[in-house]
Amino acid sequence: MKTYGSDRGFSGEAFVPKEDDDVIICRCEEITRGEIRKAIYDGMRTISEIRRYLRPGMGPCQGMTCERNVRGILARETGLPLSQIPGYRPRSPQRPVTLAELGNESEEEGGGV
Amino acid sequence: MSTKMKADVVVIGSGAVGSATAYFLAKEGKKVIVLEKGHSIGCGQSCRNGGMNKIDGRGLGELPIAIYGLKCWKDLSQDVDTEYVEKGGIRIALDDEQQEYMERFLPFGKEAGLHLQSMTGDQLREKIPEFSPRITGAIYCQEESKMNPLKTTLGIYSAARRLGVTYVSGEEVCALHTRQGRIYAAETKNGNLYEADQILVAAAYGSRQILNTVGIDLPLYSYYEEIFVTEKIPKILDQMFVSAKVTYYGEQQENGTILFGGASGFGNYPNREWYPDSYQDRKRLPAEARALVDLFPCLADTRVVRGWGGWMDISPDDSMMLGETVEIPGLFVACGFSGHGFGVSVPAAKVTSEIMCGKKPGADISHVMYDRFSKHMDMFTGADRNHLINDIQKK
Amino acid sequence: MKRWDLVVIGAGPAGLSAAIEAAEAGMSVIVFDENKKPGGQLFKQIHKFFGSKENHAGVRGIEIGQMLLEKAQKDHIQVELDSAVIGIAKDRSVSVRKDGQTREVQGQNILIAAGASERTLPFPGWTLPGVIGAGAAQTMMNLYGVRPGKKILMIGSGNVGLVVSYQMLQAGCQVAAVVDAAPRIGGYGVHAAKLARNGVPFYLSHTVIRAEGDGAVKSVTIGQVDSSWNIIPGTEKTFDVDTVCMAVGLDPMSQLARMAGALIEEKGGLVPTVDEYGQTSLPGIFAAGDVAGIEEASSAMLNGEIAGLRAAFKSGYIDEETFRTEYKKKKAALGDLRKGTFSPENKGRTDLTLTSEGLPLSENLFEKGFLTDEEVTKYPGVIKKAGVHPVIECTQNIPCNPCQEACAFGCIEVGEDITALPRINPQADCRNCGKCVAMCSGQAIFLVDEEAGCVTIPYEFDPIPEEGEMGTALGRDGSPLGQAEIIKVRKSPAFDHTALVTMRVDKTLAMKARAYSRKTFSE
């Protein structure tokens, strides 16, 4: 993975608004393409930083809908190929689970049939 | 291809403490380079914590800095979107023994200038009815606050960049170097050298290894904890809350999600060694889920969307380690925040930047100097990480 | 915590096939699926599958799903539905949420067969109600019997876009157009032909500009793109639709593999790197099906079987000789599926011009979805003969051979290489039984008697025309050609819900008419 060096991949260009900046990329958190692009210019150079700074991928679907699109925007803005942009770090629980369910541990023991 | 870079200050570690120190130094006109070993900025405890500033219950030596923080946070929030909300915090007792334990702290907190109020469980539930009937008592601290750790950490980074701070990620420091007894440079695994007149080591547990290369050893140990976040729900409380012995904690963010974490004791914890390279031990989640529902029965049907964990750097008395090293002029440390660093990250950084600029620190740091243990190097077991009344400080 | 020889995550074609393979070798197997119904995508696939006869070609997806389930039940495999695997670690423990509980399960081996999710294409207006994924539309129609909308624009001309568009026609929706930014149709020509002859236009090298509407989609505008993907001014076209369907690709749901810490690569999505047996970089953890790389159900089933076989060998349930023999067979079958014009190695190529036989691939088929009247005669499936005979308009190398088996009289040959273009044997006698017409999964076979002006077409719409009714014959491009009289309608259980409709047209139209509309023909 590219480590960006001391300029962290910043090309020195200023942020230029684009026509499709108001298209929503993360539906869960309602984050637009422009907000993501601006965040990249504000210094967010990795998928992890974008996610933590703006919250795409933090809603109920945990990035299933937006991950590829956010990676694509980051790839385009930094000039890196998509293959060098990782995804969001998947964590447990992979599906929303209520606190009651999560705390209700089953006591099964023994081998499978 | 190795490179050499020079600056006034090199900061090792891009978390809240490192980045905020860089930010304050840049405001004073210093040229600063921040070195981060990871691919992303601030991806250690700064982006994994629960977003709370617990003041009541801290090691007493930290109180002056925590109080200083009340001003520092508000000032910083003018420049960075921290979502800092100062609506107080609550420490919860589930029995008389816990209540008595909490109340031992009251005179110290009041002396430090905090507004603390002891109340019964019923009085607490009058204010916040969602709390469980199991709660027997509480201590309310008016000065406590919550904030968004992700926005804050990365916002500080972004603000520091705007002020001209240079960040290098993927750059792990492997050794420090001195010249004629004074700090000189930081060398990295990539073979690069960063020269500066002052170097700050703010690398959490990693600080220990880095300082070892110049013969300084800080008595830190590493401790893992799990935390999770729920879906967004309507506001039920503005105050952060912790258990009596500050073993588990939580708060509701401005966006409605609830962060909750710690080691509640509501279950068994398997051997953490199984997952040395990952930041999650999901088998702890059920126990923490039970603990949250125990405090807030109304949340039984609230859904958890994500869990994660983090490694904390714990000091023997649960309090931070600051200061310019006596051994090597120009070398400063800021670590050992023991899992409750985020709330004091900004004032600790401000104080560090002040002493690095030769100014009088805005808070008394004499009880959190990094070398206070050299006189008391007992073997510590790490069993109870909640020493509140600090023998060393009372002396 | 319960222990199993094999824990399978996902009860789709890959998962169930692996479970069956492992159980039949003697392993204890449990399968978890988060859905309430098993079978993964199979239960939405109402069309007949391609491939070889041995691997269920000509059988509808829903039946393949049913068959897998029955096998699993017979093998006493525990399939737990409504059970989401919410966590996994490299020690092969998984956390499962089911029935208001969470439980831990330990596997000696784990197979991740979680499938894929739909990609999205954010464009202005894409969050309006009415913009949905093609998979979602398919679920609505085929599982719940709900039309996604009245008039639809389909974005994406891969097999998913083509197949779902056709299913929308079958459900009684109108399909305004199929749009793709690529210069060529990405899916099989025969799937495109089914749409073109029913009047659905194709717009290649076009992309969607915006969807508009007040609270819901009312219209969508597309435009042509140049080689730099910029819209060429003046090429905007607007369609009045209430639904925009996105068939823009699938994303492997590799989150569990990533959580466990497997080595990941970008291969049409983030997938775990696997060896030829489906093993990831983590010992005892396998991946098969779409989660390891998007292909289709037939490859998913074979990859699942291979993973199950490997796990059985690894855990000592079968010996090395059995393993190698069985693996060789499955590998060969998999190889057969991965050949031809649409093979994985040809994916994305727009420069192919010839079939493996050296015949030209139809450019018109690639760009407009239909063969021209002139070029159709160049292919070995199309011959001139007196009397009724099959005409096979299958002109790309696709691994598929049920037509060969369909004719008991030797009229149709494909041969050893199942990607070869089907050929008509002019010496053989066609008995007009119609089996070939019904069995062709691509609906590309017709029975034609030029002298009599009779054309028998496969018909899968509702209602089926009645003998004696008059309507219009449509050409390959969907244009009305002339009057058509329905002279025969044949239905049979052997045809598996494909009706054979014979229409009589002017004999000059016998080699042009390929679809039927119930509308009256007017000059």
Side-chain angles (χ1 to χ4, degrees):
Chain A
M1 214 183 306
K2 190 168 146 60
T3 56
Y4 287 128
S6 60
D7 59 353
R8 296 208 82 218
F10 185 54
S11 62
E13 290 169 18
F15 173 72
V16 173
K18 287 197 186 144
E19 235 195 277
D20 58 356
D21 272 350
D22 61 352
V23 173
I24 285 179
I25 299 295
C26 168
R27 289 190 298 203
C28 292
E29 297 285 322
E30 298 191 351
I31 296 160
T32 66
R33 185 174 273 142
E35 286 175 292
I36 295 170
R37 291 183 53 244
K38 180 96 190 354
I40 296 172
Y41 280 84
D42 279 347
M44 307 310 141
R45 294 279 185 267
T46 69
I47 200 83
S48 172
E49 285 161 16
I50 294 172
R51 194 183 138 261
R52 287 182 276 129
Y53 190 61
L54 281 185
R55 292 186 63 84
M58 287 200 180
C61 92
Q62 288 288 295
M64 282 251 269
T65 311
C66 70
E67 181 186 69
R68 194 177 177 84
N69 293 324
V70 176
R71 289 173 64 218
I73 296 170
L74 186 56
R76 232 164 295 130
E77 296 293 332
T78 58
L80 284 178
L82 194 63
S83 54
Q84 287 210 26
I85 313 269
Y88 303 136
R89 195 82 186 256
R91 301 273 187 216
S92 186
Q94 263 297 295
R95 297 285 182 267
V97 53
T98 68
L99 286 163
E101 280 179 316
L102 190 53
N104 188 5
E105 289 178 281
S106 140
E107 295 293 326
E108 281 185 336
E109 285 300 326
V113 167
Chain B
M1 236 293 307
S2 63
T3 55
K4 244 192 200 182
M5 279 184 84
K6 202 164 161 33
D8 296 325
V9 180
V10 165
V11 173
I12 303 171
S14 69
V17 172
S19 284
T21 310
Y23 167 84
F24 290 125
L25 288 170
K27 278 190 156 213
E28 296 297 319
K30 301 272 190 181
K31 171 93 193 78
V32 185
I33 298 175
V34 178
L35 302 176
E36 167 54 51
K37 78 172 182 199
H39 181 57
S40 296
I41 299 298
C43 207
Q45 296 170 72
S46 296
C47 279
R48 292 165 194 273
N49 67 79
M52 292 171 279
N53 185 8
K54 187 92 203 74
I55 306 182
D56 157 44
R58 283 188 177 272
L60 301 182
E62 295 188 327
L63 285 184
I65 294 185
I67 305 273
Y68 187 37
L70 299 174
K71 178 180 184 308
C72 293
W73 274 106
K74 292 192 189 71
D75 287 344
L76 181 79
S77 300
Q78 307 287 328
D79 202 16
V80 174
D81 186 7
T82 59
E83 291 182 5
Y84 176 80
V85 169
E86 195 180 295
K87 293 232 174 101
I90 299 160
R91 203 139 65 108
I92 289 154
L94 297 172
D95 58 40
D96 290 339
E97 190 248 314
Q98 289 181 2
Q99 186 73 23
E100 190 270 328
Y101 183 82
M102 298 193 304
E103 292 192 349
R104 274 194 271 155
F105 192 83
L106 286 174
F108 297 99
K110 286 178 176 165
E111 196 193 313
L114 297 174
H115 293 85
L116 296 168
Q117 190 193 336
S118 184
M119 56 178 87
T120 64
D122 289 330
Q123 286 170 328
L124 176 67
R125 280 181 290 276
E126 259 169 62
K127 296 213 149 56
I128 302 168
E130 288 84 0
F131 268 116
S132 158
R134 256 216 336 131
I135 294 169
T136 55
I139 308 253
Y140 171 76
C141 175
Q142 190 181 301
E143 283 79 8
E144 287 169 354
S145 56
K146 56 177 194 166
M147 59 287 276
N148 184 319
L150 313 175
K151 269 190 167 181
T152 302
T153 304
L154 291 169
I156 294 173
Y157 152 65
S158 182
R161 268 189 83 242
R162 278 198 299 275
L163 291 172
V165 174
T166 300
Y167 275 79
V168 191
S169 53
E171 192 77 316
E172 183 173 357
V173 171
C174 59
L176 295 174
H177 296 288
T178 61
R179 247 188 204 166
Q180 294 172 9
R182 198 186 160 78
I183 197 65
Y184 157 60
E187 183 192 342
T188 68
K189 280 191 171 165
N190 293 329
N192 299 323
L193 199 68
Y194 295 87
E195 300 171 333
D197 200 45
Q198 292 179 316
I199 294 185
L200 169 66
V201 180
Y205 188 67
S207 308
R208 190 166 188 182
Q209 172 67 23
I210 292 168
L211 292 164
N212 282 167
T213 65
V214 281
I216 299 174
D217 189 40
L218 300 182
L220 291 171
Y221 72 94
S222 214
Y223 180 81
Y224 175 87
E225 223 163 58
E226 186 82 14
I227 184 171
F228 63 74
V229 68
T230 68
E231 56 184 333
K232 292 179 180 177
I233 58 169
K235 262 305 178 61
I236 56 172
L237 87 169
D238 281 313
Q239 291 73 23
M240 51 150 290
F241 58 91
V242 300
S243 62
K245 302 197 175 175
V246 201
T247 46
Y248 53 107
Y249 44 80
E251 45 95 3
Q252 185 169 27
Q253 293 264 294
E254 289 302 280
N255 57 39
T257 62
I258 295 185
L259 283 170
F260 185 79
S264 65
F266 272 71
N268 291 321
Y269 301 127
N271 187 349
R272 187 64 182 80
E273 295 303 308
W274 290 357
Y275 317 100
D277 56 348
S278 85
Y279 274 103
Q280 185 175 33
D281 181 356
R282 68 171 200 279
K283 295 179 190 180
R284 299 184 180 212
L285 287 175
E288 303 324 318
R290 289 192 285 275
L292 180 55
V293 175
D294 189 57
L295 291 180
F296 287 97
C298 63
L299 295 180
D301 288 328
T302 299
R303 298 178 303 170
V304 173
V305 294
R306 187 178 179 90
W308 63 94
W311 289 94
M312 302 177 289
D313 48 330
I314 314 282
S315 78
D317 61 1
D318 253 6
S319 303
M320 66 182 86
M321 298 175 173
L322 299 182
E324 179 168 17
T325 67
V326 166
E327 295 89 336
I328 297 174
L331 178 61
F332 293 77
V333 305
C335 57
F337 288 90
S338 304
H340 40 260
F342 197 74
V344 286
S345 57
V346 175
K350 188 87 180 21
V351 149
T352 301
S353 73
E354 283 158 352
I355 62 177
M356 287 173 90
C357 289
K359 295 193 191 156
K360 185 169 179 304
D364 176 14
I365 61 169
S366 57
H367 295 300
V368 286
M369 293 302 287
Y370 77 103
D371 62 347
R372 62 188 182 275
F373 306 102
S374 51
K375 306 167 190 67
H376 306 272
M377 271 309 290
D378 300 321
M379 294 303 286
F380 50 88
T381 62
D384 178 355
R385 59 180 211 77
N386 297 291
H387 313 281
L388 296 171
I389 311 303
N390 189 320
D391 290 334
I392 296 162
Q393 291 164 350
K394 262 158 71 179
K395 283 192 175 82
Chain C
M1 149 154 72
K2 271 200 155 183
R3 305 182 70 94
W4 301 83
D5 288 324
L6 178 64
V7 173
V8 177
I9 303 170
L16 287 178
S17 300
I20 291 164
E21 190 77 26
E24 289 181 356
M27 297 174 88
S28 64
V29 185
I30 188 165
V31 182
F32 294 112
D33 196 299
E34 62 176 330
N35 296 299
K36 292 187 167 55
K37 279 181 103 163
Q41 301 303 308
L42 285 173
F43 282 99
K44 291 159 38 175
Q45 310 309 327
I46 59 173
H47 56 285
K48 293 177 181 172
F49 274 28
F50 290 59
S52 69
K53 222 43 180 90
E54 296 72 45
N55 292 105
H56 318 292
V59 182
R60 296 188 190 275
I62 38 183
E63 277 156 46
I64 298 176
Q66 196 53 41
M67 175 210 83
L68 281 175
L69 264 183
E70 279 162 16
K71 254 198 189 175
Q73 276 157 8
K74 210 161 58 86
D75 287 338
H76 303 291
I77 295 168
Q78 201 164 320
V79 179
E80 304 232 346
L81 302 172
D82 212 9
S83 305
V85 171
I86 56 174
I88 186 174
K90 64 171 69 143
D91 65 355
R92 298 186 299 275
S93 62
V94 299
S95 304
V96 184
R97 178 202 74 195
K98 183 191 176 140
D99 289 340
Q101 275 193 326
T102 330
R103 68 188 217 258
E104 288 290 309
V105 170
Q106 181 68 33
Q108 192 57 33
N109 299 281
I110 307 247
L111 170 65
I112 300 173
S117 59
E118 296 207 85
R119 283 202 197 151
T120 54
L121 183 73
F123 53 84
W126 80 291
T127 52
L128 280 170
V131 179
I132 59 176
Q138 208 181 26
T139 301
M140 271 190 226
M141 288 188 289
N142 300 343
L143 291 187
Y144 297 101
V146 171
R147 273 190 214 112
K150 293 203 186 74
K151 198 160 174 212
I152 294 128
L153 183 104
M154 175 66 72
I155 304 174
S157 68
N159 279 330
V160 174
L162 298 176
V163 164
V164 175
S165 295
Y166 186 72
Q167 286 169 4
M168 282 168 163
L169 293 179
Q170 289 178 299
C173 314
Q174 283 181 64
V175 178
V178 175
V179 174
D180 202 315
R184 281 181 165 185
I185 292 171
Y188 298 164
V190 292
H191 283 321
K194 281 154 57 186
L195 295 170
R197 65 181 179 245
N198 282 291
V200 176
F202 284 82
Y203 291 88
L204 278 303
S205 298
H206 276 68
T207 192
V208 62
I209 296 173
R210 78 185 78 85
E212 285 169 306
D214 188 16
V217 172
K218 287 265 163 33
S219 71
V220 64
T221 302
I222 67 173
Q224 197 174 340
V225 290
D226 62 24
S227 49
S228 316
W229 308 108
N230 297 318
I231 309 279
I232 300 168
T235 64
E236 290 88 356
K237 301 163 191 58
T238 301
F239 297 85
D240 288 328
V241 294
D242 61 2
T243 310
V244 177
C245 221
M246 300 184 285
V248 293
L250 299 171
D251 238 351
M253 285 204 284
S254 56
Q255 285 82 5
L256 289 173
R258 288 150 61 183
M259 192 193 293
L263 266 178
I264 302 292
E265 60 184 276
E266 170 70 44
K267 201 171 92 171
L270 292 168
V271 301
T273 305
V274 291
D275 68 9
E276 68 223 272
Y277 310 113
Q279 282 185 137
T280 68
S281 63
L282 300 171
I285 299 188
F286 296 78
D290 273 355
V291 78
I294 308 294
E295 281 185 87
E296 19 76 57
S298 328
S299 345
M301 287 164 69
L302 280 166
N303 278 315
E305 286 173 29
I306 289 171
L309 190 71
R310 183 70 181 89
F313 174 49
K314 177 180 165 292
S315 295
Y317 282 89
I318 55 174
D319 61 32
E320 182 160 7
E321 203 193 311
T322 312
F323 167 64
R324 301 240 169 261
T325 314
E326 288 304 304
Y327 173 65
K328 206 157 161 220
K329 284 189 222 155
K330 295 186 202 295
K331 185 173 171 200
L334 200 54
D336 281 344
L337 292 176
R338 287 176 170 163
K339 290 208 257 207
T341 314
F342 296 91
S343 67
E345 59 198 24
N346 283 339
K347 199 173 160 120
R349 283 183 69 176
T350 53
D351 59 336
L352 296 170
T353 51
L354 297 176
T355 71
S356 56
E357 294 88 350
L359 295 164
L361 286 166
S362 163
E363 210 43 57
N364 210 65
L365 185 60
F366 276 134
E367 285 171 33
K368 299 234 164 33
F370 59 91
L371 298 161
T372 65
D373 297 335
E374 298 71 41
E375 64 190 355
V376 76
T377 55
K378 299 205 190 94
Y379 297 97
V382 180
I383 60 164
K384 239 178 152 48
K385 195 176 175 195
V388 69
H389 63 274
V391 169
I392 310 185
E393 299 183 3
C394 178
T395 65
Q396 296 168 335
N397 297 118
I398 295 170
C400 187
N401 71 355
C403 51
Q404 180 173 256
E405 311 277 318
C407 183
F409 308 104
C411 292
I412 303 174
E413 285 164 8
V414 174
E416 272 294 307
D417 177 2
I418 64 171
T419 62
L421 298 185
R423 305 174 289 282
I424 301 290
N425 178 359
Q427 265 69 57
D429 269 326
C430 172
R431 310 297 168 90
N432 197 16
C433 70
K435 273 187 78 187
C436 56
V437 178
M439 286 217 72
C440 175
S441 306
Q443 292 185 31
I445 303 182
F446 311 90
L447 289 173
V448 174
D449 185 339
E450 284 186 78
E451 262 309 303
C454 289
V455 181
T456 301
I457 62 172
Y459 199 87
E460 289 195 356
F461 295 106
D462 189 55
I464 300 172
E466 313 237 314
E467 288 178 8
E469 79 173 53
M470 301 289 236
T472 304
L474 305 174
R476 290 184 193 86
D477 63 352
S479 53
L481 296 177
Q483 189 171 270
E485 182 195 352
I486 304 299
I487 57 170
K488 199 167 172 74
V489 175
R490 285 178 280 180
K491 293 177 243 187
S492 162
F495 298 158
D496 187 12
H497 300 87
T498 306
L500 303 187
V501 170
T502 307
M503 53 184 177
R504 179 160 43 219
V505 295
D506 187 281
K507 60 183 183 183
T508 57
L509 300 176
M511 278 306 284
K512 296 185 188 192
R514 290 294 175 260
Y516 173 76
S517 157
R518 311 192 79 190
K519 293 203 191 100
T520 330
F521 178 71
S522 47
E523 304 292 334

